[in-house]
Amino acid sequence: MSFGNTPSAHRKKRLTQNIAFFIFRLLSFSVVAILVVILGFILVRGISVISWEFLSEAPREGMTEGGIFPAIVGTLCLVVGSMLFAFPIGILSGIYINEYAKDSWFKRFVKLMTNNLAGIPSIVFGLFGMALFVHQFGFGDSILAGSLTLGLLALPVVIRTTEEALKAIDNSFRIGSLALGATKWQTTRRVVLPMAFPNIITGLILSIGRVSGETAPILFTVAAYFLPKLPSSVFDQVMALPYHLYVISTSGTNIEASRAMAYGTAFVLIVIVLLANLLANWLRRYFGKKVKMN
Amino acid sequence: MNSVETKDVHLYYGDFHALKGITMAMRKNQVTAFIGPSGCGKSTYLRCFNRMNDLIDGVRIEGEILIDGVDIYKSSIQVDDLRKHVGMVFQKPNPFPKSIFENVAYGLRVNGTKDRQFIEERVERSLKQAALWDEVKDKLKKSAFELSGGQQQRLCIARALAIEPSVLLMDEPTSALDPLSTAKTEELIHELKENYTIVIVTHNMQQAGRVSDYTAFFYLGELVEYAKTKTLFTNPKDQRTQNYITGRFG
Ligand SMILES: Nc1ncnc2c1ncn2[C@@H]1O[C@H](COP(=O)(O)OP(=O)(O)O)[C@@H](O)[C@H]1O
Ligand SMILES: [Mg+2]
């Protein structure tokens, strides 16, 4: 065995590694590049229509003029509404599945169902929401029906996120707490949840991003084609950004004339999702620090 | 006087017979060491005393375990009460991601103590008992994770002492520590036995010799020999004990 003079087998090994790394790097770069192109494309076309008027006024002239304020408000209503529904139920289910449920057929069944729920196409949620909330419960096309439908869509994501975050907490912390005479609930609330919190919250906010961009579930449950006034109760219809985008790109009165508005709307939607992701990152770091300190 | 007493204890993990009829008694305010090759059931037996085995699916226990005269497996026993009475320190230090102060106060808080002054006094006393006070008294609000491994283990001891158990179980408490921290912890065990009954699992025979008054040798789920530490190490009765302490297996 000697250093210095490299036998050809070693050279070949290193060459293989270099080629592999080159390919990996190339692929990662292309993913980033695609993202940048999409964002840049929307940005360049959308930025010119962004103005105070665009953000604060209702659409006019067959949606070729004016702004998208009602749609922004509508989307915010739906996001808040769906989260009020999905967060408590989803988080509690996640806690139950990971902390309480014994490994039984029931637990496996629940997990299987949540996974399947996550795989159902969102249009099916829309159809189901229409049948159940709009008609059966008689909520009509409303913020309530739309929020519940979107909430159902977010539920599996919230459950999974909570579950994964809890699973990542080392068991020795639970054992340590139980050995001091804490009950299971005290252990969960005082030790496990604070540790899992940063990751749970990140997942929640990512699910907000998902919900705010969905069109299919709101199509038959809440979204209005054109409704320039703001909602006054949860039983009102609203406009929403993704649906508005769909409408003015496909079935507006004058599609060419509203093209710029469409890019502006897409731009606002993307900014909302990006802001949510930034917030998620920031919260994770903020709470991550706090958990260690307190 | 006996603090922990077990009669013909059998434990099964599913089909696996891990403890095979163990009868022994541990004296109050003495240190009892469990030795034996790894996998012989020392930890399993220790976890019976604060019912931590309850947390493992598929465990079945037979026999009787009395702590300070009370049958701890009878139905009227609340496990959280039992665990206040029987504290435990683990192999790997496992402080909570909280401040040093809150780590020690935790056991008090979960057991319903609200009185701030009482908690502060108890935290200070426990940290002093665990020989950690001087090192941390100026940074009680700092995260426990900033302490060294040895300090973290003493913090875990303080945490266990804060709720004033009568029995303290230690499962290889120094196996993750450096020699200096190990020496400190052993010294601490020596001082603690004045107020506590201590049962310590160790794979280190020198340690058993240094810290314990009585030693029990386990092999394949059985209690092979149990005697005063000096007697067991100088004059073992069973061939298997002799083989083990002379390093012929394990
Ligand atoms: N949770 C468990 N499930 C199944 N078997 C276990 C479990 N814990 C320990 N055992 C088995 O029980 C025996 C005793 O283990 P343990 O008490 O940890 O031994 P020791 O502490 O003496 O090294 C070993 O054979 C081990 O594999
Ligand atoms: Mg062990």
Side-chain angles (χ1 to χ4, degrees):
Chain A
M1 190 62 220
S2 68
F3 292 128
N5 60 347
T6 316
S8 70
H10 283 209
R11 265 204 306 277
K12 185 154 168 263
K13 199 168 90 179
R14 217 156 294 151
L15 186 67
T16 316
Q17 155 161 312
N18 287 343
I19 293 174
F21 278 176
F22 176 74
I23 294 175
F24 293 161
R25 207 168 297 145
L26 199 69
L27 289 175
S28 330
F29 273 130
S30 31
V31 170
V32 174
I34 293 170
L35 254 174
V36 169
V37 167
I38 295 177
L39 288 179
F41 181 76
I42 302 290
L43 186 80
V44 167
R45 306 217 170 184
I47 196 98
S48 57
V49 297
I50 301 295
S51 65
W52 179 242
E53 185 202 359
F54 185 72
L55 297 175
S56 66
E57 286 183 13
R60 281 181 278 112
E61 317 292 337
M63 296 191 271
T64 59
E65 298 279 328
I68 55 168
F69 184 59
I72 295 177
V73 171
T75 286
L76 290 181
C77 287
L78 291 173
V79 165
V80 170
S82 60
M83 294 306 134
L84 282 177
F85 169 64
F87 283 3
I89 297 181
I91 293 174
L92 291 178
S93 309
I95 292 175
Y96 174 76
I97 292 174
N98 200 67
E99 302 295 316
Y100 284 85
K102 287 244 163 74
D103 193 28
S104 64
W105 67 267
F106 180 72
K107 177 175 168 178
R108 283 194 292 275
F109 179 71
V110 171
K111 288 181 79 157
L112 186 73
M113 290 315 275
T114 46
N115 287 346
N116 282 339
L117 210 57
I120 293 177
S122 55
I123 187 78
V124 177
F125 278 93
L127 212 60
F128 175 77
M130 178 177 69
L132 188 70
F133 303 126
V134 176
H135 295 134
Q136 191 68 37
F137 290 177
F139 297 152
D141 280 357
S142 62
I143 294 177
L144 185 59
S147 296
L148 290 173
T149 310
L150 284 173
L152 280 183
L153 185 84
L155 206 49
V157 183
V158 176
I159 294 177
R160 280 292 291 279
T161 303
T162 308
E163 230 187 294
E164 296 299 324
L166 292 173
K167 208 181 289 169
I169 307 299
D170 196 283
N171 221 10
S172 67
F173 294 110
R174 295 182 182 86
I175 304 260
S177 167
L178 292 169
L180 287 166
T183 60
K184 201 157 194 171
W185 171 240
Q186 287 174 323
T187 301
T188 305
R189 200 181 69 78
R190 292 169 182 256
V191 177
V192 181
L193 277 181
M195 291 179 80
F197 196 59
N199 282 334
I200 293 182
I201 223 167
T202 312
L204 296 185
I205 293 178
L206 293 179
S207 76
I208 288 184
R210 165 109 200 262
V211 158
S212 57
E214 279 291 344
T215 314
I218 58 176
L219 205 54
F220 324 124
T221 55
V222 52
Y225 176 80
F226 176 67
L227 186 68
K229 75 175 182 55
L230 298 182
S232 58
S233 86
V234 294
F235 294 105
D236 286 350
Q237 271 190 282
V238 281
M239 296 179 78
L241 288 172
Y243 183 59
H244 183 63
L245 179 56
Y246 169 73
V247 164
I248 57 178
S249 322
T250 59
S251 58
T253 45
N254 183 347
I255 292 176
E256 281 314 313
S258 47
R259 193 64 84 196
M261 308 289 284
Y263 283 114
T265 308
F267 179 76
V268 171
L269 194 53
I270 286 180
V271 167
I272 288 180
V273 173
L274 284 182
L275 282 180
N277 287 356
L278 284 179
L279 182 69
N281 257 319
W282 181 80
L283 282 174
R284 182 171 48 193
R285 244 174 286 141
Y286 176 77
F287 285 111
K289 261 197 213 116
K290 231 179 112 179
V291 165
K292 279 213 192 89
M293 293 313 293
N294 72 34
Chain B
M1 208 170 106
N2 294 330
S3 179
V4 181
E5 214 177 329
T6 80
K7 293 174 189 158
D8 198 26
V9 168
H10 290 263
L11 185 144
Y12 302 83
Y13 290 113
D15 294 333
F16 178 67
H17 197 172
L19 297 178
K20 299 170 182 162
I22 297 183
T23 302
M24 73 181 277
M26 283 140 263
R27 287 191 178 67
K28 204 167 177 59
N29 294 1
Q30 300 283 306
V31 178
T32 305
F34 292 174
I35 61 169
S38 91
C40 68
K42 306 178 297 291
S43 301
T44 300
Y45 186 45
L46 195 72
R47 284 198 300 266
C48 291
F49 306 162
N50 62 346
R51 292 184 56 171
M52 291 308 271
N53 286 323
D54 291 17
L55 302 173
I56 302 170
D57 283 341
V59 166
R60 204 173 82 243
I61 301 175
E62 291 164 5
E64 202 178 15
I65 299 177
L66 306 175
I67 291 193
D68 295 327
V70 178
D71 176 358
I72 62 165
Y73 280 87
K74 73 178 176 199
S75 59
S76 61
I77 292 289
Q78 298 287 327
V79 279
D80 39 328
D81 285 340
L82 168 68
R83 290 175 189 154
K84 266 192 295 186
H85 197 73
V86 184
M88 191 166 201
V89 175
F90 301 84
Q91 189 166 352
K92 215 175 120 252
N94 59 348
F96 303 126
K98 298 174 183 288
S99 70
I100 293 168
F101 183 92
E102 283 305 321
N103 261 279
V104 184
Y106 184 84
L108 299 168
R109 294 199 197 283
V110 296
N111 287 300
T113 310
K114 294 240 159 56
D115 186 344
R116 275 249 310 274
Q117 201 188 339
F118 177 83
I119 292 178
E120 276 172 23
E121 285 169 9
R122 186 59 73 75
V123 167
E124 178 173 342
R125 198 186 77 189
S126 309
L127 285 168
K128 281 178 175 158
Q129 280 181 308
L132 190 59
W133 177 251
D134 290 333
E135 290 157 65
V136 302
K137 63 173 187 280
D138 298 321
K139 48 177 183 180
L140 292 172
K141 291 217 149 52
K142 286 266 167 62
S143 167
F145 288 171
E146 289 176 25
L147 299 175
S148 73
Q151 290 174 321
Q152 288 188 7
Q153 193 60 306
R154 277 178 283 144
L155 181 69
C156 291
I157 294 174
R159 187 174 76 175
L161 298 181
I163 46 176
E164 298 197 308
S166 87
V167 181
L168 190 59
L169 310 175
M170 305 177 117
D171 193 348
E172 305 197 16
T174 63
S175 67
L177 305 186
D178 60 88
L180 202 69
S181 306
T182 300
K184 268 191 182 161
T185 310
E186 288 180 3
E187 198 179 317
L188 179 59
I189 292 170
H190 221 75
E191 285 163 18
L192 288 175
K193 76 174 186 185
E194 200 174 310
N195 298 308
Y196 303 89
T197 303
I198 295 176
V199 186
I200 179 173
V201 172
T202 174
H203 60 243
N204 176 334
M205 280 177 283
Q206 284 76 27
Q207 181 167 67
R210 284 191 299 263
V211 303
S212 72
D213 304 295
Y214 292 84
T215 297
F217 171 64
F218 291 83
Y219 188 61
L220 297 176
E222 284 177 55
L223 173 61
V224 173
E225 191 163 351
Y226 176 38
K228 279 216 148 102
T229 298
K230 261 211 198 85
T231 316
L232 189 119
F233 280 110
T234 53
N235 190 13
K237 295 210 163 46
D238 195 287
Q239 186 61 40
R240 290 168 292 176
T241 315
Q242 183 159 12
N243 289 347
Y244 184 70
I245 60 179
T246 52
R248 247 168 283 170
F249 62 75

